[in-house]
Amino acid sequence: MDYIFFFYGLSFIILGFICLLMTDPLKYRFQWRYLGLFGLIHGSYEWFDLYSLSSGETGGFLLMRPVFLILS
């Protein structure tokens, strides 16, 4: 399960960086940025989930995980 969460989160983070680096005309730039922000936030959420599985749930992670899920 650890490998699945790691590569799943990594794929979203790579998606986020690729979308944020794209330089299209002005009319497409904002859509790619939103998709890139989604990828970065959701990838971070998956890595928080991975960390909580391996180290246990603490108070900070119980608050941060739903916030990242709602933001994405």
Side-chain angles (χ1 to χ4, degrees):
M1 200 67 183
D2 294 340
Y3 293 112
I4 293 171
F5 279 122
F6 176 76
F7 286 114
Y8 188 57
L10 182 65
S11 65
F12 274 109
I13 289 175
I14 290 172
L15 169 77
F17 280 125
I18 288 173
C19 288
L20 291 177
L21 291 175
M22 293 182 76
T23 55
D24 280 332
L26 291 176
K27 67 178 186 174
Y28 297 117
R29 184 171 50 181
F30 293 112
Q31 288 88 355
W32 289 114
R33 281 196 181 150
Y34 288 137
L35 182 62
L37 288 174
F38 164 75
L40 290 175
I41 293 170
H42 195 72
S44 300
Y45 167 75
E46 292 298 328
W47 280 359
F48 281 135
D49 206 14
L50 168 69
Y51 185 75
S52 70
L53 281 175
S54 62
S55 68
E57 302 246 354
T58 60
F61 282 113
L62 286 175
L63 294 174
M64 287 174 53
R65 284 178 51 206
V67 169
F68 272 79
L69 185 60
I70 290 169
L71 284 176
S72 70

